[in-house]
Amino acid sequence: MTSPAAPAALGPRYKWVALSTTTLGVLIATINSSILLIALPDIFRGLKIDPLASGNSSYLLWLIMGYLVVTAVLVVTFGRLGDMYGRVKMFNAGFAIFTLFSIALSVTWLTGTPGVLWLIVMRILQGVGGALLMANSSAIITDAFPSHQRGLALGLNMVSGIAGSFLGLVIGGVLAPLHWRYVFLVSVPFSIFGTLWGYLKLRDLSPRRHHVMDWWGNITFALGLIGVLVAITYGIQPYGDHVMGWTNPWVLASMIGGLVLLGVFCAIELRVEHPMFHLDLFRIRAFTFGNVASLLSGLGRGGLMFILIIWLQGIWLPRHGYSFESTPLWAGIFMLPMTVGFLLAGPLSGWLSDRHGARPFATGGMVIAALSFVWLAVLPVDFTYWTFAAALFLNGFGMGLFASPNRAAIMNALPANRRGVGSGMSTTFQNASMVLSIGIFFSLMIIGLAGSLPGTMQSGLSAHGVPGAQAHAIAGLPPVAVLFASLLGYNPVQQLLGSHTLSRLNPTDAQYLTGHSFFPSLISGPFHDGLIVAFAFAIAACLVAAVASWFMGGKFVHADDQHEGAEIAADGPRVGVAEPEQVRS
């Protein structure tokens, strides 16, 4: 086997080639993780799917969550394959797969249920390509950059990825009204370029270790994580007379079975010679606490995007005169302050953490994020925009301040031959936290809505002439349906009442019920109740993440070029170091 090239032998520009190519891959992958959130109304109209029809909420969830679930499940396996067969080879394959299924998503000729099922399957397969890109990008950057520049490099890569999730909202809002197929086609030219450029320019820089594949570990991990994530997905949907599905036997079986399989997975990993998930890496303090902090920050951040879209599309924008058809685009635009905060803080904190260590910036970032959630929680539902924008900017700045140093600390702590699997493990925590966060935030919002929404809706409809029996029936609408209607920027009142009832109402009442004001005003109070509960959870998650970030210790770099298998810590316990050498800030 030929030895991998050293970074210096490829010239001083190679590290920037590696950074730009991997950042493009991560940017495309994360843009596509969020682009559907804004485009869903146009996609459902294009496929002739009624989002409020019974059972169609499952399709909506899987269009959003399928991509996230598959990336969460596969990144560790693909990181391991990158360590064994070459990270660049896996990364380039990811670009090619992503391109192929982006095209397949845009060419469906089907409508109705077959059409949406096609999109769900293609999204899952597109997620395979996204997982390959995300699993190996950080390891490729870590190989290419010296330790004193990795914070900046990983920070730029991380911030681009997080910014991509918000850029996807704007891009989807612009393209979907033109044609829903464009939201899938937009990434094709860039992914074709990335595929060709990666094959021509990227080189593997770390030794490969060809081990026997841990098939039982892969199978139990995949099935266990899928079980847990599927249970969360269906747990937020109504079951029988219950507003959520946590009493559904299938949901309980999926959750319990998934947790049991994950326990079996851990037992397997402790016994096999070449495990897929290197549990011994958790002996490294920076790696362990960095991933705990990353998971908690993801729990605080992941569902926030959905909450803000509902807040803007379903309530604030319609109440300020925006048509329901235009709210997706404007919601994406009005959330840009958060992206600006990310873009300002991420590279800066990465550069500073290279010199002063990750701990003060990661910890401070989580404290700032917690304060921003407090600010958002005390805002009235019908806020003044500049106060809302300032809170979003503060949240983005705090999250950006945390993300770059945290990722750099995790990757610096890993030995070279474990960077692929370590990156995959870290990305698994991040992606799984997004799905968990969506489930937790939606559950907390539904709990908040369930208490006051039925009474508010019934009294509001009755006050404007709707017959009592019909008002009572509509008030029994599951809260999750109201959340989905708001997420889609959709006023369901006209459909729920029907033309027969509307024709019998006073024209003024009928116009008000189906206009911009009634539905947003109706759900504002119950929505705020759910908002407080959800933000309280986010505040707690960020504060615990701040504590975990502090316990990462000071500057921590694995010294492969000095002692194979030696970790170096300037602050905190040293792991596996016979004769440690101090790392200087």
Side-chain angles (χ1 to χ4, degrees), residues 234-368:
Y234 284 99
I236 64 176
Q237 298 189 65
Y239 172 69
D241 296 330
H242 302 278
V243 296
M244 287 187 288
W246 296 111
T247 56
N248 185 334
W250 290 106
V251 170
L252 292 173
S254 180
M255 176 64 75
I256 294 170
L259 292 174
V260 169
L261 282 172
L262 290 176
V264 173
F265 163 74
C266 291
I268 290 171
E269 298 306 279
L270 291 172
R271 288 167 172 79
V272 296
E273 184 178 358
H274 303 297
M276 163 192 139
F277 211 111
H278 282 267
L279 298 179
D280 61 312
L281 292 178
F282 289 108
R283 294 167 55 201
I284 304 172
R285 191 172 78 172
F287 183 80
T288 300
F289 283 104
N291 278 305
V292 170
S294 179
L295 175 67
L296 290 166
S297 72
L299 289 177
R301 183 184 70 243
L304 173 66
M305 190 185 306
F306 288 83
I307 300 302
L308 294 179
I309 291 172
I310 292 169
W311 198 348
L312 288 169
Q313 289 187 187
I315 299 176
W316 194 85
L317 287 167
R319 291 182 68 169
H320 286 258
Y322 292 83
S323 68
F324 282 99
E325 292 76 18
S326 68
T327 56
L329 171 61
W330 287 104
I333 292 173
F334 283 179
M335 288 170 64
L336 280 175
M338 184 179 290
T339 305
V340 174
F342 271 118
L343 295 175
L344 286 177
L348 176 63
S349 65
W351 179 74
L352 290 172
S353 69
D354 283 334
R355 287 154 176 77
H356 305 292
R359 179 162 62 181
F361 305 100
T363 303
M366 282 294 93
V367 172
I368 291 172

Side-chain angles (χ1 to χ4, degrees), residues 16-224:
W16 303 112
V17 171
L19 176 61
S20 60
T21 308
T22 54
T23 298
L24 176 63
V26 170
L27 185 63
I28 287 175
T30 54
I31 284 175
N32 278 270
S33 71
S34 65
I35 197 168
L36 291 197
L37 294 179
I38 292 294
L40 278 172
D42 293 286
I43 292 173
F44 272 57
R45 282 193 291 269
L47 295 177
K48 299 179 174 58
I49 291 285
D50 178 5
L52 289 184
S54 177
N56 284 351
S57 60
S58 297
Y59 298 144
L60 183 147
L61 275 175
W62 277 108
L63 274 173
I64 298 170
M65 307 275 268
Y67 184 93
L68 296 173
V69 168
V70 75
T71 53
V73 167
L74 292 178
V75 285
V76 174
T77 300
F78 290 159
R80 174 69 166 161
L81 290 173
D83 285 340
M84 292 170 62
Y85 301 111
R87 293 157 191 168
V88 168
K89 184 182 294 184
M90 295 295 109
F91 181 85
N92 290 338
F95 252 134
I97 292 170
F98 194 92
T99 303
L100 175 64
F101 289 106
S102 296
I103 295 171
L105 279 161
S106 67
V107 298
T108 178
W109 63 96
L110 303 168
T111 57
T113 300
V116 75
L117 289 175
W118 169 272
L119 292 186
I120 290 170
V121 172
M122 293 302 105
R123 278 283 286 177
I124 288 172
L125 295 173
Q126 186 190 45
V128 174
L132 282 163
L133 293 171
M134 288 188 278
N136 292 283
S137 63
S138 293
I140 291 172
I141 292 172
T142 306
D143 288 342
F145 278 82
S147 62
H148 67 278
Q149 292 182 328
R150 283 178 194 154
L152 175 61
L154 289 166
L156 290 169
N157 184 266
M158 172 69 76
V159 170
S160 296
I162 296 174
S165 63
F166 293 100
L167 291 173
L169 301 177
V170 179
I171 295 169
V174 171
L175 294 179
L178 300 177
H179 202 290
W180 64 267
R181 297 178 192 272
Y182 294 163
V183 303
F184 302 116
L185 280 173
V186 66
S187 61
V188 172
F190 301 99
S191 54
I192 289 175
F193 170 78
T195 303
L196 298 174
W197 189 251
Y199 274 108
L200 291 172
K201 296 294 184 179
L202 292 181
R203 298 290 182 270
D204 273 308
L205 302 179
S206 287
R208 303 177 192 175
R209 297 199 173 184
H210 293 277
H211 298 309
V212 176
M213 193 66 175
D214 175 21
W215 290 113
W216 284 113
N218 279 269
I219 291 169
T220 52
F221 177 78
L223 293 178

Side-chain angles (χ1 to χ4, degrees), residues 3 103 162 184 211 214 217 277 302 314 340 410 418 435 461-462 502 518 555 568:
S3 299
I103 295 171
I162 296 174
F184 302 116
H211 298 309
D214 175 21
F277 211 111
V340 174
I410 290 171
R418 293 287 184 264
V435 182
L461 291 170
S462 298
L502 287 171
F518 173 72
K555 199 167 182 182
I568 304 169

Side-chain angles (χ1 to χ4, degrees), residues 392-429:
L392 290 188
F393 177 85
L394 187 67
N395 184 275
F397 191 88
M399 291 292 182
L401 199 66
F402 163 82
S404 301
N406 175 265
R407 188 67 166 182
I410 290 171
M411 295 305 297
N412 277 336
L414 294 170
N417 66 312
R418 293 287 184 264
R419 284 174 190 156
V421 69
S423 174
M425 291 164 67
S426 181
T427 305
T428 294
F429 283 111

